[in-house]
Amino acid sequence: MNSIHLTPVQERSPGIGEITALLLPELGLRYSLRAQRLRHLAAEHAMGDYLRFVARIADVQQQLLDSAPLPAALKASLAARLEHPGAPLAGNADLSEPYWQELLRHLCEALYIDSSPTIRTTLDAVTALDAAALHAKAQALLAGRFAEVDSGQALFIWAALALYFTQLAAHLPASAKACVGEHRQHCPVCASTPVASLIMSGAQAGLRYLHCGLCESRWHMVRVKCSNCEATGNLDYWSLEQHNAAAKAESCGDCHSYLKVFYPEHDSALELVADDLASLALDGEVERQGFARSGLNPFLFPG
């Protein structure tokens, strides 16, 4: 079990020292800022067309966040999730709510306009799925069984799921405390894998937080430790720049995995999900060295 535990906010614990164990996502202009960063990174990028397309998805996510936010009834149900041990948003019960499928339908409708014939074919396939089929595909994705879902469909299904789970996480009436122990490979809020890790600036300067690829929560993990197997003795760091690289890859010789690390001190405009997607050249170099990525970017599914 993850050693970061969530508790109702009235039972707040100071945790260990001054380190905040968990940073729940802030909503606001989250997706607008991501879209802006993606369009900036797309200029003269080999993947420019795809980065601009993902920016369109982020635009629609922001529109839905503003126009169709999480219903009050779902917000009110969140406190009960903290009564049980483990990640409060893990499990399939979250998928029984029709809200996330409504988000998916609106997302597909908005993206259909001005999309290419290939993308429209995929969007048509997604909107043709009934509630049971969508539930099954969502279950497979959340369980990491990516081969069971067409990668094109997975992109849109996950975008709706992420908007849903990020809102759930943002409204959790919870605090967190760090307990003795390890097991921090997965998000303590929803049990998903991280996209990458971030070396914080500002109030948490120098601390490392893993960033969830589903609910976008961030949780603390000490540096110089593999984020996958938590070994400490066989780590290497890779980058495509010689000095002050904003993106590096941390590889582990024990489990042969890697995860990227981002440093906003070297690029204050950095947006983790966008910059992770735009730095796939680094992934390619590290994978050529025999390492496999331990996390998942929500806009890059296998297949």
Side-chain angles (χ1 to χ4, degrees):
M1 181 180 291
N2 197 303
S3 61
I4 295 177
H5 298 167
L6 276 71
T7 59
V9 71
Q10 64 266 27
E11 298 176 20
R12 187 176 184 88
S13 166
I16 297 175
E18 298 298 323
I19 297 176
T20 302
L22 176 70
L23 302 172
L24 293 174
E26 296 181 1
L27 299 176
L29 298 176
R30 169 174 297 274
Y31 302 104
S32 291
L33 294 173
R34 180 165 298 158
Q36 178 181 341
R37 179 63 171 173
L38 284 162
R39 291 191 173 95
H40 170 77
L41 294 169
E44 300 183 5
H45 195 288
M47 293 173 51
D49 287 344
Y50 187 64
L51 295 179
R52 283 185 282 271
F53 174 66
V54 173
R56 286 188 59 206
I57 295 177
D59 284 335
V60 177
Q61 287 176 307
Q62 185 68 53
Q63 293 166 12
L64 291 173
L65 176 63
D66 295 337
S67 64
L70 192 72
L74 287 178
K75 293 180 187 179
S77 71
L78 288 170
R81 294 184 175 276
L82 301 171
E83 297 173 359
H84 307 286
L89 300 185
N92 295 323
D94 299 291
L95 301 180
S96 63
E97 294 292 341
Y99 171 69
W100 80 267
Q101 293 193 14
E102 294 172 7
L103 290 176
L104 177 59
R105 178 173 57 82
H106 291 310
L107 179 79
C108 291
E109 289 173 352
L111 291 172
Y112 201 85
I113 303 170
D114 298 328
S115 287
S116 69
T118 300
I119 293 173
R120 286 188 174 189
T121 298
T122 301
L123 292 171
D124 284 336
V126 172
T127 54
L129 296 169
D130 61 22
L134 283 174
H135 189 282
K137 287 179 182 289
Q139 280 184 313
L141 291 175
L142 295 180
R145 303 194 308 272
F146 304 122
E148 297 180 17
V149 184
D150 174 83
S151 59
Q153 294 182 21
L155 173 68
F156 303 113
I157 294 171
W158 192 276
L161 287 172
L163 181 54
Y164 174 42
F165 276 83
T166 300
Q167 291 185 85
L168 289 173
H171 292 292
L172 270 175
S175 59
K177 62 180 180 179
C179 301
V180 176
E182 306 295 337
H183 305 297
R184 297 195 186 181
Q185 300 94 332
H186 296 91
C187 176
V189 176
C190 70
S192 294
T193 59
V195 177
S197 62
L198 192 72
I199 305 302
M200 302 290 283
S201 57
Q204 290 94 19
L207 299 178
R208 177 170 74 162
Y209 284 79
L210 302 183
H211 185 107
C212 180
L214 178 64
C215 78
E216 305 220 35
S217 297
R218 292 175 176 174
W219 66 101
H220 177 255
M221 188 175 201
V222 298
R223 298 172 67 171
V224 197
K225 173 182 284 193
C226 175
S227 58
N228 184 54
C229 72
E230 303 195 343
T232 59
N234 200 6
L235 300 178
D236 287 301
Y237 294 84
W238 312 75
S239 73
L240 300 179
E241 303 172 39
Q242 291 186 344
H243 304 289
N244 297 330
K248 296 181 181 180
E250 179 187 78
S251 67
C252 176
D254 289 316
C255 68
H256 303 288
S257 75
Y258 78 93
L259 195 70
K260 278 186 277 188
V261 187
F262 290 92
Y263 300 80
E265 65 177 311
H266 300 314
D267 187 347
S268 59
L270 186 151
E271 201 282 331
L272 187 142
V273 173
D275 282 77
D276 178 68
L277 185 62
S279 57
L280 289 184
L282 177 57
D283 292 77
E285 291 298 326
V286 180
E287 288 171 4
R288 276 190 279 273
Q289 302 299 321
F291 298 98
R293 179 167 173 149
S294 61
L296 176 78
N297 187 291
F299 297 107
L300 195 70
F301 282 89

